[in-house]
Amino acid sequence: MSPASPNEEDTTSSCYLPPPVGEPVAQATARPPAPEPPRLPRGVTSWASYAQPADGEPGATPTATSEGPEHGTGTNRLATAALWCGIGGFIPVAAVAAVVLGVVALRQMGRVVRGGKASAVAGVVLGSVWVVGWVAILALGATGAPQRDADTGALTPGARVEVVDLQGGDCFDGLPASADTTVTAVTGMPCAGSHEAQVGTTLTLPDQPWPGRDQAAALAQDACSTKVGRFIRDQDHERVALTVIYPSTLPDWRRDRGVSCVLVADDGGRLTGTVLKNR
């Protein structure tokens, strides 16, 4: 049937929509539906807020590299050892070990992160304190020689003096109350003032086998009696008595056979001023 004229109403023909220019007829007549956009993740309202910034942009998460420290498990054993050595630092070797082990442990934990950092730090601190203390003790020991006046050689009052370091003319306090008591150190006193005793002279017993305590005392007494008299002032002979400080054990005898010939007040009191000639 031919198309109706423009002035007539066509009730039987269908309208025809030609395809767009350049598209095949088959595509125009059978175009597939447009794909749906991908769904946003839960909690994200737009793709713009979901997009991650690129490396180097503000908010970007740095890419993991192999240059950072590793993370291990457990506690660093050297850190624990450093802590225990620090606690036992009253032994000099342990004090030094605490510092060394603690430093090594901290360096290891800089490469492999593990527990024990507090123990390592505590070990270093404790060990350092002990080391400083031991150095101070050794320094005092090194300077523990008798303190004497540079001009006169007299002992500084209050100086603690080992008996083996006593010299002729030294005045001191600290003799034991009993003759059988061992004395290792005395306290220096000024000879011009009050003091318990004064060294008349010192001597060394002959080299011979250990004779025993009683015989060693007798040898020292005889040697001092022979030698010390000429050092005492004439007016003081009657007011002083002789006692001796001598090696009273086998180890002392082997180490030093030195004897101090000591003068004390004959009445058991204290001396005032020197009792020696030229002092």
Side-chain angles (χ1 to χ4, degrees):
M1 183 180 296
S2 61
S5 63
N7 294 328
E8 297 179 357
E9 183 178 356
D10 184 4
T11 59
T12 60
S13 63
S14 298
C15 294
Y16 170 70
L17 180 65
V21 178
E23 285 190 13
V25 175
Q27 292 183 4
T29 57
R31 181 181 299 175
E36 296 183 0
R39 296 182 180 180
L40 292 171
R42 181 177 298 179
V44 178
T45 58
S46 68
W47 284 108
S49 63
Y50 181 73
Q52 298 294 323
D55 290 344
E57 294 183 357
T61 302
T63 303
T65 64
S66 59
E67 297 179 357
E70 301 178 7
H71 289 266
T73 58
T75 302
N76 187 288
R77 294 183 179 180
L78 292 182
T80 303
L83 176 60
W84 283 109
C85 287
I87 295 173
F90 54 86
I91 302 175
V93 175
V96 175
V99 176
V100 174
L101 293 175
V103 171
V104 174
L106 290 174
R107 289 183 177 178
Q108 289 182 350
M109 285 185 283
R111 298 189 300 268
V112 180
V113 179
R114 285 183 175 176
K117 183 175 182 179
S119 297
V121 173
V124 172
V125 172
L126 290 174
S128 299
V129 171
W130 280 111
V131 168
V132 171
W134 281 113
V135 170
I137 291 173
L138 292 176
L140 290 175
T143 58
Q147 300 177 7
R148 299 182 179 274
D149 184 273
D151 296 326
T152 64
L155 288 173
T156 302
R160 193 67 176 163
V161 188
E162 299 291 330
V163 293
V164 295
D165 293 323
L166 288 173
Q167 298 177 7
D170 288 344
C171 297
F172 63 88
D173 282 353
L175 280 177
S178 172
D180 295 330
T181 303
T182 300
V183 58
T184 58
V186 294
T187 302
M189 297 293 291
C191 290
S194 174
H195 52 276
E196 289 183 1
Q198 183 174 15
V199 179
T201 189
T202 60
L203 54 87
T204 301
L205 294 176
D207 185 7
Q208 63 183 59
W210 168 240
R213 179 167 182 162
D214 292 341
Q215 186 62 26
L219 291 173
Q221 189 78 26
D222 290 345
C224 285
S225 297
T226 302
K227 189 174 182 181
V228 75
R230 64 177 178 268
F231 297 103
I232 303 174
R233 297 189 307 181
D234 295 339
Q235 64 270 32
D236 291 320
H237 275 277
E238 298 298 327
R239 75 184 187 102
V240 296
L242 174 66
T243 185
V244 293
I245 299 176
Y246 66 99
S248 58
T249 65
L250 176 58
D252 290 338
W253 180 271
R254 289 176 174 175
R255 181 171 54 252
D256 183 6
R257 297 184 312 282
V259 175
S260 295
C261 307
V262 180
L263 302 168
V264 297
D266 185 55
D267 59 3
R270 297 176 66 86
L271 297 174
T272 300
T274 183
V275 298
L276 302 181
K277 300 175 181 177
N278 303 320
R279 292 287 181 175

